[in-house]
Amino acid sequence: AFSTITYAGNGSTQSITGVGFQPSLVWIKSRNAAAAHAIFDSIRGVNEISQSNDTAAEVDLSPHGLTNFNSDGFSVSDVAGGNNAVNGSAGGSFSGTPPNYVSWNWYAPTSETNNDGNVASTIKKNIDAGFSIVNFSNNASSSNTFGHGLGGQPEIVFIKGQNVANDWFTYVDLLGKDKRLKLNSSDVVSSWISNDGTNTPTGINSTTLSFAYSATSYNFIAYCFRSIEGYSRIGSYIGTDAPNNVIVTDFEPAFLMIKLTSAANGEWIIFDNKRNTTNPRHDVLKANSSGAETTEAALDIDFTTNGFILNGATGAGGRGNINTSNETYIFMAFAQDPDSTPATKADSFEAKVFTDNASSTNLDVSLSNGMKPDLIWTKYRFGSQTHYIYDSIRGSFDYLASNQTVGNQNRTFGILPIDGGFRKIENVWNRNDTNGIIAWAWKAADHDRGLATINQDGSITSLVSANPASGFSIVKYEGIGSTASIGHGLGVVPKLIIAKCFDITSAWVVYSETTGINKFIELNDLATPYTASGYWGSSAPTTSVFEVKDGNVNNNSTGNSIIAYCFADVAGYQKVGSYTWTGTSYTAGTLVTGLGFTPRFVIIKNTTVAGDWQLYDNQRVSGTQSYALWADLSDAESTAGQQGIIFDSDGFSAATGADGNVTASTSINKNGSTYIYLAIA
């Protein structure tokens, strides 16, 4: 019922495909040029163009506009006569390459002549999608009413004279039946006046809309919309002048238009998921302006699976059009088609060794399971270099290091998830050793678009990318400085939570079921668990939330953002547990059995005495043993003087050091020590 596409103009005739249906309303805008918006519909016909940014009457472009509505799109003609509104050449291009046009398309297949009002109307409608196109003629009567055909009361209606120069009169139900806006203007809300509408409470209902103009013989077109659960929403919100202003729609937006209504200079700002395919969405077009697309970081918006987040930078000069404190905004949003390929356990984790190209040239790394990962943790194996941790919620150019306490570090380089793996952007490691890089990659979402879900299970809202099938979720929330609960999206109890406040310098803090809510461990050092009463709240995590206590700068810093990686048990695939070694220290032997699977990846940490966080995988194997890298250290992988582990069919065992060493570190099997671990098949 709705589709956004982009395409490259060629200055000649061409057919535009990929819409997914035969559109009834086509709204086109040039991205790289100052050109009028071009609106066509199947009642007025392909030749008649209206412009949302102008009061002009419709113009007949024949034969140089749209030439046909097709089963999967539309056809456009050449640009003779100087018309570049729909098909100007891509020469000069947009941001370096085509496409240089965007088209927003709606579907209304049912035609009818409607006599519900005292003026007959011609209608194209899609009741299931809450959309109708209505054509009617004015009779200059204050009691002029026409049927809209929606089967329910419209929530927003755009009305434009076809053969008269007038404003795009806009009715918005949320503003009241006596108020109006203008699509072609940034004006504030005003009252209907005698020559362009009605101020009576009966002006709109489930069958008709009242409208009168000052003269007869004028034809009007109206585009009517009402919210449909899971597909569209016309709503409002209050600005906060701060990031993380969360708006729930209950679906993933493909199109979003926002208008400030409580103050002047509120432009009609349009975002979509094709001009920006990943967050943040900050390529802006404005329905009331012919201007070319601009990129405005102050207008950053993140789309989620069930809404959107206003995330522009704080400070003056920024968010007056979408998020000014205590101002009121309206919005209309339409849904992204659902993804029908949920993630499974089999494609949710992979360890991968590969060779860097040691240059600023991009490098694609394929994963054998074909997943598009949401968490990528990398480390150079053969020398001292920091860990690089990227996730799909924080973004592809913001990395954290498990061995450091600093917050988000933004660089020109980064790791970008792609279909089937990930891409190194520019120079991340600058190494050329064969198989010198190890990456551990997780799938956190049940789709491939890298979008989080707004979660309101806890006392504070969180953003969650969750893969319950594999027992893993990524959670982002904003600290409030007082005791709070946070939704994690797993549907089962997480037994390991690794959290970091990424706005400031702070420790990585870890909750484990073994150490409980009154202790925390720091991922960035080797210390034993720190005791802090109620550090993880007043009760253990549940199937829906985990808790944080007031005053904890590491996981509940007021106004700062925290990322948390949550792990739960999944039979036959993942286990969070503990073991105690009671044999002779540092000798070979079984550490854990009964997992029900052969591990590919294991993290181990001593909780009795100080010991580094050990990271093992089935890709960095020498003989039968996998040797450690250390989450809390930048050190190279080493076999000298170290014990490795052996991945058994039902668990994992300590091996003898490569050089016969039996007095190694305390990190996996010191007599009397208890260890926590995470094992993944």
Side-chain angles (χ1 to χ4, degrees):
F2 174 80
S3 175
T4 298
I5 62 168
T6 56
Y7 66 94
N10 65 5
S12 183
T13 58
Q14 63 170 325
S15 293
I16 308 302
T17 60
V19 171
F21 50 79
Q22 181 171 311
S24 307
L25 172 61
V26 176
W27 182 345
I28 298 171
K29 179 66 179 76
S30 171
R31 302 175 62 189
N32 65 333
H37 292 252
I39 299 177
F40 304 86
D41 64 69
S42 56
I43 290 183
R44 294 180 300 131
V46 291
N47 296 323
E48 304 298 331
I49 180 175
S50 293
Q51 303 167 351
S52 65
N53 56 283
D54 203 332
T55 60
E58 67 183 23
V59 176
D60 186 340
L61 289 181
S62 177
H64 304 301
L66 261 64
T67 58
N68 201 46
F69 295 113
N70 303 324
S71 60
D72 188 35
F74 50 89
S75 297
V76 290
S77 73
D78 58 51
V79 293
N83 170 47
N84 290 298
V86 300
N87 195 29
S89 170
S93 70
F94 180 82
S95 298
T97 57
N100 59 335
Y101 285 90
V102 62
S103 174
W104 305 296
N105 311 277
W106 287 263
Y107 180 55
T110 303
S111 300
E112 70 175 34
T113 298
N114 186 290
N115 294 302
D116 289 337
N118 63 356
V119 175
S121 57
T122 301
I123 291 178
K124 295 288 293 277
K125 65 181 181 180
N126 186 342
I127 292 178
D128 291 340
F131 168 57
S132 68
I133 306 170
V134 183
N135 180 231
F136 64 96
S137 297
N138 183 63
N139 66 8
S141 167
S142 61
S143 60
N144 195 31
T145 61
F146 63 89
H148 51 69
L150 280 183
Q153 183 167 309
E155 293 171 70
I156 192 165
V157 181
F158 305 102
I159 305 172
K160 180 68 181 76
Q162 296 173 241
N163 55 344
V164 60
N166 70 334
D167 292 304
W168 283 78
F169 300 124
T170 302
Y171 162 82
V172 182
D173 186 56
L174 289 165
L175 301 178
K177 296 175 182 179
D178 60 337
K179 302 296 182 183
R180 70 171 187 184
L181 290 167
K182 300 174 184 177
L183 183 63
N184 54 284
S185 170
S186 62
D187 287 354
V188 72
V189 176
S190 60
S191 297
W192 289 100
I193 56 178
S194 59
N195 71 338
D196 61 20
T198 179
N199 58 6
T200 64
T202 59
I204 191 166
N205 56 44
S206 61
T207 57
T208 64
L209 179 70
S210 297
F211 181 83
Y213 203 67
S214 58
T216 59
S217 303
Y218 288 136
N219 297 324
F220 290 85
I221 198 76
Y223 304 124
C224 307
F225 300 89
R226 64 189 298 257
S227 299
I228 299 296
E229 184 176 358
Y231 163 71
S232 63
R233 185 176 170 205
I234 292 93
S236 67
Y237 64 87
I238 303 298
T240 63
D241 200 32
N244 301 312
N245 190 1
V246 173
I247 314 299
V248 176
T249 61
D250 293 325
F251 57 81
E252 179 182 326
F255 172 94
L256 174 66
M257 183 161 65
I258 295 174
K259 171 73 169 78
L260 171 66
T261 62
S262 57
N265 301 318
E267 298 183 277
W268 295 82
I269 299 178
I270 301 174
F271 305 87
D272 61 62
N273 66 347
K274 293 298 189 293
R275 291 178 296 126
N276 286 128
T277 58
T278 59
N279 291 329
R281 324 285 167 149
H282 52 202
D283 288 346
V284 172
L285 289 169
K286 300 171 183 178
N288 58 293
S289 170
S290 63
E293 180 175 303
T294 58
T295 298
E296 302 182 35
L299 300 180
D300 276 1
I301 282 189
D302 286 349
F303 286 173
T304 74
T305 62
N306 61 342
F308 59 94
I309 306 165
L310 307 168
N311 249 345
T314 58
R319 298 191 305 275
N321 281 323
I322 61 170
N323 198 24
T324 298
S325 180
N326 296 318
E327 298 290 1
T328 300
Y329 299 80
I330 61 164
F331 67 88
M332 60 185 299
F334 296 91
Q336 163 73 35
D337 290 337
D339 190 326
S340 59
T341 55
T344 64
K345 289 184 292 186
D347 63 10
S348 296
F349 173 80
E350 186 170 336
K352 175 80 172 186
V353 291
F354 60 94
T355 303
D356 183 26
N357 56 11
S359 74
S360 60
T361 304
N362 295 348
L363 174 70
D364 286 357
V365 179
S366 297
L367 297 174
S368 62
N369 60 20
M371 73 171 169
K372 184 178 182 180
D374 293 294
L375 171 63
I376 306 167
W377 181 342
T378 75
K379 176 70 176 75
Y380 173 54
R381 300 172 60 189
F382 303 132
S384 179
Q385 190 174 53
T386 194
H387 296 249
Y388 293 108
I389 300 176
Y390 299 87
D391 64 67
S392 58
I393 293 184
R394 288 182 301 113
S396 301
F397 289 87
D398 291 333
Y399 78 85
L400 293 169
S402 61
N403 57 297
Q404 298 178 356
T405 59
V406 294
N408 258 357
Q409 299 179 74
N410 185 274
R411 298 290 188 269
T412 56
F413 58 72
I415 301 293
L416 175 69
I418 59 175
D419 291 337
F422 56 89
R423 176 173 296 148
K424 181 200 84 166
I425 306 296
E426 296 190 4
N427 203 333
V428 179
W429 308 282
N430 194 26
R431 308 286 184 171
N432 57 11
D433 311 76
T434 301
N435 289 331
I437 311 299
I438 177 70
W440 304 293
W442 285 262
K443 184 67 187 166
D446 60 358
H447 56 80
D448 284 331
R449 294 184 299 280
L451 299 183
T453 297
I454 299 166
N455 184 299
Q456 297 179 308
D457 291 339
S459 61
I460 58 177
T461 297
S462 59
L463 291 178
V464 177
S465 186
N467 185 352
S470 68
F472 173 61
S473 69
I474 303 172
V475 180
K476 176 190 171 191
Y477 63 95
E478 186 173 303
I480 61 173
S482 58
T483 300
S485 58
I486 299 104
H488 54 68
L490 288 175
V492 294
V493 176
K495 296 186 175 181
L496 180 72
I497 301 171
I498 302 171
K500 174 76 173 76
C501 180
F502 60 83
D503 287 344
I504 59 175
T505 296
S506 66
W508 289 81
V509 290
V510 179
Y511 162 85
S512 79
E513 183 182 51
T514 299
T515 52
I517 62 174
N518 296 315
K519 292 182 181 291
F520 67 93
I521 319 171
E522 294 186 352
L523 183 67
N524 49 273
D525 73 27
L526 52 68
T528 55
Y530 296 90
T531 299
S533 179
Y535 193 90
W536 293 98
S538 59
S539 59
T542 71
T543 58
S544 58
V545 301
F546 65 90
E547 293 185 0
V548 291
K549 186 185 177 184
D550 59 307
N552 294 333
V553 67
N554 297 320
N555 66 1
N556 195 16
S557 176
T558 303
N560 289 312
S561 295
I562 296 94
I563 200 77
Y565 306 128
C566 304
F567 301 86
D569 287 352
V570 176
Y573 172 76
Q574 180 166 281
K575 176 68 176 177
V576 177
S578 65
Y579 65 89
T580 300
W581 182 258
T582 57
T584 303
S585 295
Y586 321 127
T587 56
T590 299
L591 300 174
V592 170
T593 190
L595 287 183
F597 57 84
T598 301
R600 290 181 291 164
F601 176 79
V602 175
I603 302 177
I604 301 173
K605 173 71 174 79
N606 194 326
T607 62
T608 303
V609 297
D612 296 304
W613 289 84
Q614 310 285 293
L615 303 171
Y616 302 92
D617 59 75
N618 67 348
Q619 299 299 299
R620 300 175 300 108
V621 176
S622 176
T624 60
Q625 299 185 48
S626 174
Y627 288 92
L629 286 166
W630 299 271
D632 53 307
L633 299 173
S634 61
D635 294 16
E637 175 186 323
S638 175
T639 61
Q642 302 292 330
Q643 286 178 282
I645 69 169
I646 298 171
F647 295 118
D648 303 323
S649 61
D650 198 32
F652 52 93
S653 300
T656 302
D659 55 1
N661 171 67
V662 291
T663 57
S665 72
T666 61
S667 295
I668 58 174
N669 61 344
K670 177 179 173 60
N671 183 35
S673 283
T674 296
Y675 299 81
I676 61 171
Y677 69 87
L678 165 68
I680 304 175

